[in-house]
Amino acid sequence: DGGITQSPKYLFRKEGQNVTLSCEQNLNHDAMYWYRQDPGQGLRLIYYSQIVNDFQKGDIAEGYSVSREKKESFPLTVTSAQKNPTAFYLCASTTGGTNEQFFGPGTRLTVL
Amino acid sequence: QKEVEQNSGPLSVPEGAIASLNCTYSDRGSQSFFWYRQYSGKSPELIMSIYSNGDKEDGRFTAQLNKASQYVSLLIRDSQPSDSATYLCAARSGNTGKLIFGQGTTLQVKP
């Protein structure tokens, strides 16, 4: 089955810890994205990557880092510098032709 | 800052009625528009894409685009309780290619 997978589904972080959220896609999409969604809020772009080994900051990149070493994978690290990381994190990828964007199932991160 | 605006709702309609969801955007360079459905606790699901002025129909869903008025809408015919969700409108930025999302409209379909 083609699609976007994210793991883990739920993640708990202690104060001062870095955690890494996984995002993998087998759709052969070039562009991948990370969004954050807070309760009752819209989607805010954290980072995006249009090709391997290249990525750009989105609107709220502070306290986050990413890598894009393979086309299929775009992991997001939430660092201890992110002061309010509790949120729903969504990974997405975009088709080349119609530019339609599809989302993974999400990771819900909670700071203890 | 390029924006996409939606009424947050909730929009409440009786089962079987037509639900009309509206969205305006500020970037005149936007050429691609998308509607997503998001159930509570789940990720957004793409339900409609529209690129040209006019109407695009897919089953019970019709997307309407008016670029002159910078207005996009989604009509849901014969609304069902299972349509109860938050609907997100998105426009692709003409400059960056990134999607700009609205805050979403919550739809409640009452049996």
Side-chain angles (χ1 to χ4, degrees):
Chain A
D1 282 336
I4 304 170
T5 58
Q6 292 186 244
S7 62
K9 186 174 181 180
Y10 298 98
L11 185 58
F12 299 92
R13 192 194 93 168
K14 294 181 180 179
E15 295 279 354
Q17 270 186 338
N18 292 354
V19 292
T20 298
L21 283 58
S22 169
C23 178
E24 304 276 333
Q25 54 98 1
N26 61 3
L27 301 168
N28 200 34
H29 291 170
D30 287 314
M32 297 185 73
Y33 304 79
W34 275 105
Y35 295 90
R36 168 181 174 146
Q37 187 175 40
D38 294 281
Q41 304 282 319
L43 301 177
R44 292 187 288 169
L45 182 64
I46 304 172
Y47 267 99
Y48 64 104
S49 168
Q50 293 179 312
I51 56 172
V52 174
N53 293 322
D54 189 43
F55 47 83
Q56 287 78 41
K57 293 182 179 179
D59 301 318
I60 56 164
E62 185 175 350
Y64 300 97
S65 65
V66 293
S67 62
R68 186 87 187 275
E69 297 177 2
K70 299 186 299 182
K71 187 175 184 178
E72 301 81 15
S73 178
F74 191 39
L76 173 75
T77 296
V78 184
T79 76
S80 57
Q82 172 48 240
K83 297 306 179 189
N84 186 22
T86 295
F88 189 37
Y89 288 87
L90 291 158
C91 178
S93 66
T94 301
T95 64
T98 58
N99 283 320
E100 292 176 331
Q101 191 164 111
F102 298 93
F103 287 85
T107 293
R108 198 166 297 278
L109 173 63
T110 303
V111 173
L112 301 175
Chain B
Q1 177 76 0
K2 305 298 184 183
E3 293 183 342
V4 172
E5 301 281 350
Q6 294 181 257
N7 187 323
S8 61
L11 172 66
S12 183
V13 301
E15 184 175 356
I18 296 175
S20 178
L21 304 160
N22 305 312
C23 169
T24 59
Y25 61 94
S26 63
D27 182 1
R28 284 199 170 273
S30 293
Q31 298 294 322
S32 307
F33 304 88
F34 307 91
W35 282 100
Y36 290 84
R37 178 177 61 200
Q38 186 174 24
Y39 292 115
S40 181
K42 302 295 185 181
S43 64
E45 173 192 8
L46 179 66
I47 54 173
M48 289 290 283
S49 310
I50 187 164
Y51 307 98
S52 305
N53 276 331
D55 295 359
K56 178 182 178 182
E57 187 174 319
D58 183 1
R60 295 186 296 112
F61 298 100
T62 299
Q64 300 175 317
L65 174 60
N66 184 324
K67 290 184 180 179
S69 300
Q70 296 177 248
Y71 180 89
V72 191
S73 65
L74 179 71
L75 301 178
I76 306 175
R77 289 181 299 282
D78 188 22
S79 294
Q80 301 297 310
S82 58
D83 295 325
S84 298
T86 297
Y87 289 80
L88 301 171
C89 174
R92 182 168 301 283
S93 167
N95 289 333
T96 66
K98 295 184 289 185
L99 285 191
I100 309 298
F101 285 87
Q103 296 283 78
T105 298
T106 299
L107 173 66
Q108 297 175 345
V109 180
K110 297 192 180 297

